[in-house]
Amino acid sequence: MKMLNVTINGITTKVREGTTVMEAAAELGIDIPALCYLKGVNEVGSCRICVVEVKGARTLQASCVLPVSEGMEVQTESPSVVTARKEILKLILANHPNDCLTCNKAGECKLQEYAYRYGVKFEEHQGKRKELGIDTSNPYIYRDNDKCILCGRCVSMCAKVPERSVLAFGNRGFETTVIADNNKTMGESDCVSCARCISVCPVGALMDSRAMNIGRIWELQRENVKCAACESGCDFELIKKNGKVVAVRALAAGEGRPLCLKGRLTVDLTYNDNPKAPLVKKDGEFVEATWAEALGLEKILGKM
Ligand code: SF4
Ligand code: SF4
Ligand code: SF4
């Protein structure tokens, strides 16, 4: 494998040919912000928050899709890079609810993290804002499209669910939004409640309904566990408060990781100190089921 020399923020290192600038920076412990990038799933370079300055290049470059070339010299936090990132954050926040105080994603939201990192505040905005409302029609998924930053991660991730491609971008321009099955609610759509989209959303636009309103992030502890429902062993986290497991969440699914509702319910039943009754979809409606039914009847789970 050919090795290439690259200098990032004054530090020279060798990386394998094909390594992106973002990956090379990560190898040096340099964190480049990313909102849309998701390795192997969404490598589109669309949010532009990962731009860097490359010596000799006329414009800033998206580091997530930029392969290292021999002798490349990169600055990841130069004044022009920082200015560009601030502008991107301002643009996103201009059409975003000012809801960090009560948002369940606060403390682990990438938009909030980067706004803090670059000192960008919510500003009074006179223009139009999205008012799409909240979709709770699927009892496992809380969808707030007003908080969506159109990163595309969920769309790309959902396209990887076998025989499903529920999510897509709909409408155009200012009206662009993520839609389910050509503009159905999540509950009406063919969504199988696998939680893959939730696991990759960088903001509070897609949340696990059953892991909301359980406390602020500093009151909660986490423990990683593997699902034992099948040989895939998907990753979940137990969320604990005062020593008790109060919720279970699917962790980000990488390429080839299945994640499914059956696994999520299995982890819930196994570990949660007070699991909520499972709901399965029958004749288009979510109805309460016994655990045996929810975990054992593949036919019903396959349709959810
Ligand atoms: S999604 Fe993030 S930035 Fe938006 S309100 Fe929630 S915590 Fe704040
Ligand atoms: S829960 Fe799964 S099937 Fe449903 S929209 Fe998300 S990724 Fe797609
Ligand atoms: S719902 Fe979340 S993951 Fe999907 S496009 Fe919006 S911000 Fe990105």
Side-chain angles (χ1 to χ4, degrees):
M1 175 70 72
K2 190 175 171 189
M3 300 299 284
L4 301 169
N5 291 296
V6 57
T7 304
I8 304 178
N9 297 353
I11 309 166
T12 301
T13 187
K14 281 186 190 298
V15 294
R16 281 197 292 270
E17 188 175 29
T19 304
T20 64
V21 169
M22 181 180 276
E23 289 167 339
E27 285 178 22
L28 289 172
I30 297 167
D31 179 48
I32 297 178
L35 289 168
C36 69
Y37 176 75
L38 200 60
K39 189 170 174 59
V41 177
N42 202 46
E43 299 181 358
V44 291
S46 63
C47 78
R48 310 292 297 175
I49 195 127
C50 70
V51 289
V52 294
E53 195 169 336
V54 179
K55 192 173 178 186
R58 289 190 5 222
T59 55
L60 298 178
Q61 310 281 309
S63 63
C64 67
V65 289
L66 179 67
V68 167
S69 57
E70 176 54 35
M72 193 181 242
E73 290 181 39
V74 179
Q75 289 293 333
T76 68
E77 297 285 337
S78 67
S80 60
V81 166
V82 170
T83 300
R85 287 185 188 153
K86 284 184 171 180
E87 285 307 313
I88 290 165
L89 290 167
K90 278 183 197 166
L91 277 172
I92 296 174
L93 291 176
N95 190 20
H96 191 90
N98 182 352
D99 191 27
C100 291
L101 288 180
T102 54
C103 182
N104 274 272
K105 193 77 174 186
E108 50 186 353
C109 170
K110 285 291 173 193
L111 179 55
Q112 189 189 48
E113 177 188 330
Y114 297 145
Y116 178 80
R117 179 158 150 184
Y118 293 104
V120 177
K121 298 186 178 184
F122 277 107
E123 285 176 6
E124 281 304 315
H125 176 64
Q126 305 306 323
K128 205 174 154 193
R129 281 179 192 268
K130 283 189 283 191
E131 286 181 16
L132 297 161
I134 291 163
D135 176 3
T136 55
S137 56
N138 178 318
Y140 297 100
I141 301 173
Y142 177 95
R143 184 166 73 136
D144 183 348
N145 263 354
D146 292 337
K147 289 183 182 163
C148 174
I149 59 170
L150 301 175
C151 71
R153 285 183 178 192
C154 61
V155 175
S156 298
M157 186 54 107
C158 187
K160 289 184 176 289
V161 181
E163 295 170 23
R164 292 283 184 286
S165 198
V166 176
L167 301 178
F169 285 116
N171 308 325
R172 290 188 177 185
F174 179 80
E175 305 294 335
T176 304
T177 186
V178 172
I179 56 171
D181 277 347
N182 214 10
N183 231 357
K184 292 181 180 167
T185 64
M186 291 295 273
E188 290 165 343
S189 76
D190 277 343
C191 168
V192 291
S193 309
C194 67
R196 290 200 216 188
C197 54
I198 298 170
S199 74
V200 298
C201 182
V203 295
L206 286 169
M207 305 278 290
D208 183 327
S209 300
R210 294 180 166 210
M212 292 177 70
N213 302 318
I214 50 177
R216 303 308 285 179
I217 195 164
W218 53 87
E219 300 174 294
L220 306 171
Q221 304 82 47
R222 281 132 197 266
E223 183 187 332
N224 289 7
V225 291
K226 289 214 178 279
C227 171
C230 82
E231 66 282 1
S232 300
C234 292
D235 295 309
F236 287 80
E237 67 178 4
L238 310 179
I239 305 179
K240 297 181 184 177
K241 190 175 185 183
N242 301 326
K244 284 193 184 301
V245 177
V246 291
V248 161
R249 279 200 323 200
L251 288 177
E255 212 173 5
R257 306 299 306 282
L259 271 186
C260 67
L261 178 61
K262 185 177 172 182
R264 188 223 181 283
L265 291 174
T266 300
V267 176
D268 217 353
L269 181 63
T270 309
Y271 296 100
N272 200 334
D273 283 295
N274 193 17
K276 287 183 188 156
L279 293 139
V280 297
K281 205 171 187 182
K282 288 181 186 170
D283 301 325
E285 298 287 327
F286 282 95
V287 292
E288 204 169 302
T290 63
W291 284 97
E293 186 182 13
L295 299 178
L297 294 182
E298 297 290 328
K299 243 177 152 182
I300 290 174
L301 289 166
K303 283 181 189 165
M304 286 181 61

